[in-house]
Amino acid sequence: MTSRRRLAVVMDPIADIKYAKDSTLAMLLAAAARGFELWYLEQADLSLRDGVARGRARALTVRADPVNWFTFGDTRDLALGELDCILMRKDPPFDTEYIYTTYILERAARAGALVVNRPRGLRDMNEKVYTAWFPECCAPTLITRDMSAMGAFLAEHGRIVAKPLHGMGGRSIFVVEAGDRNRNVVFETLTDYGSRFAIVQRYLPEIATTGDSRVLLVDGEPIPYALARIPDAEDHRGNLAAGAKGVGRPLTDRDRWLAAQIGPQLAAEGMLFVGLDVIGGYVTEINVTSPTGIRELDAQFGLDIGAVLMDAIERRL
């Protein structure tokens, strides 16, 4: 048994990441700097045998090199509960395969591994629905299958954002105005004619000027800068994947208040790395699956957010 602490990551293919933007790589570089022995897994490498979570893991070396940022070593069959820490960084969609993955990781956690973020929390805290636990922090929001109720919500607020409860990166997000003749098509598409839940929120006009800000929480405490994602002039989505520009800014008093309302509960639930999406002083999503923004904030403000996360992980260990 090696004396070095062992940290594994479950993620999408590391060869396909965007080096300059990938938050998972920032975490792995910080872990390597702390002397962690690194192991790499994808969903297909996980299994359960007689209640024991196992993984076909590859030894991983990472480097701060934009051309050659990783190398694989030997492959081993590991009992995941014998690892010190597992980073669950698989991107959405949050589908049944994702849920099955959390079951396997929960068995690893029961056997002794620290899983970041906690698998049960990943299942329980849908990134859009979980805002309902903090209504005082959010703009008016309705989650429903009822298309007529969506229409009434639109009439009440005049302009709304409508989106599905799954996915990421700005996919299938619509801005709908009162009188829009496409509104019924939008509601039908999102709810599959009333057979699926979807979410509608009051439109926050600040998205066009100050953007959709990502506030990062590490073990419940906010990083002192937020990444404001400013939409392209021809788009309404504050998502980097949809072409928004990431501009760092210091946290406001309102940001800190929001973090104080939400952060402690998330930390108590074992959610060590979380991203709050804030528009006009209101939280629109609570991202727990694979939040991003580390690389941009590190570059703009000389931070090392990965190291802050490793501090939190070492405290928990």
Side-chain angles (χ1 to χ4, degrees):
M1 180 70 70
T2 178
S3 60
R4 294 173 66 195
R5 282 180 165 166
R6 297 190 297 172
L7 181 145
V9 63
V10 179
M11 61 184 292
D12 292 301
I14 192 170
D16 297 339
I17 66 172
K18 295 181 179 179
Y19 172 85
K21 295 185 176 183
D22 195 81
S23 291
T24 303
L25 180 60
M27 296 176 185
L28 293 172
L29 289 167
R34 296 293 175 94
F36 279 94
E37 179 181 296
L38 302 182
W39 293 88
Y40 171 89
L41 303 109
E42 297 176 17
Q43 277 181 305
D45 297 315
L46 303 175
S47 63
L48 270 175
R49 175 65 188 265
D50 301 326
V52 177
R54 305 198 68 86
R56 187 177 62 251
R58 282 170 277 185
L60 176 67
T61 301
V62 291
R63 291 174 292 274
D65 181 341
V67 176
N68 183 26
W69 57 85
F70 76 99
T71 302
F72 289 136
D74 294 339
T75 299
R76 294 185 196 172
D77 179 72
L78 299 178
L80 299 182
E82 295 178 1
L83 295 164
D84 293 288
C85 180
I86 303 171
L87 300 177
M88 173 50 172
R89 292 289 299 173
K90 172 71 180 71
D91 283 341
F94 191 91
D95 53 15
T96 53
E97 290 299 306
Y98 198 106
I99 292 172
Y100 300 149
T101 299
T102 68
Y103 291 144
I104 295 172
L105 293 177
E106 188 160 356
R107 293 301 299 171
R110 292 284 184 94
L114 173 66
V115 182
V116 179
N117 285 320
R118 181 177 288 171
R120 180 172 295 179
L122 293 175
R123 290 197 300 275
D124 289 352
M125 299 177 184
N126 175 277
E127 303 188 332
K128 298 171 180 65
V129 180
Y130 196 63
T131 58
W133 271 245
F134 307 95
E136 70 281 7
C137 299
C138 305
T141 300
L142 172 67
I143 296 170
T144 185
R145 292 182 173 192
D146 188 334
M147 292 180 285
S148 63
M150 289 181 169
F153 188 88
L154 173 59
E156 177 184 354
H157 294 287
R159 196 178 192 190
I160 63 172
V161 174
K163 50 191 175 181
L165 294 179
H166 63 280
M168 61 174 289
R171 296 172 188 166
S172 302
I173 295 178
F174 298 89
V175 173
V176 186
E177 299 188 20
D180 189 333
R181 297 179 68 181
N182 286 313
R183 73 173 201 174
N184 289 338
V185 175
V186 171
F187 299 157
E188 290 164 2
T189 299
L190 291 177
T191 67
D192 194 14
Y193 294 88
S195 66
R196 289 198 304 250
F197 286 101
I199 184 170
V200 290
Q201 297 169 315
R202 188 183 74 196
Y203 178 79
L204 299 169
E206 293 87 350
I207 183 68
T209 53
T210 57
D212 181 347
S213 292
R214 170 62 54 82
V215 176
L216 294 176
L217 304 178
V218 176
D219 205 6
E221 293 294 326
I223 298 299
Y225 299 91
L227 186 67
R229 297 160 298 175
I230 313 296
D232 181 90
E234 297 184 356
D235 206 328
H236 59 262
R237 295 170 296 175
N239 302 86
L240 299 180
K245 179 181 179 182
V247 179
R249 62 165 180 77
L251 294 189
T252 65
D253 288 343
R254 174 69 176 181
D255 293 329
R256 294 184 184 278
W257 182 84
L258 294 170
Q261 307 312 302
I262 298 172
Q265 181 168 328
L266 291 168
E269 296 290 340
M271 313 309 281
L272 267 65
F273 189 71
V274 176
L276 306 181
D277 288 349
V278 180
I279 303 174
Y282 294 99
V283 172
T284 60
E285 294 187 16
I286 300 174
N287 292 272
V288 300
T289 50
S290 56
T292 61
I294 288 180
R295 303 282 275 185
E296 293 87 350
L297 290 174
D298 280 357
Q300 292 185 41
F301 298 105
L303 306 176
D304 189 348
I305 298 170
V308 178
L309 177 59
M310 290 305 122
D311 287 340
I313 286 172
E314 290 187 326
R315 286 195 302 270
R316 296 274 180 142
L317 291 176

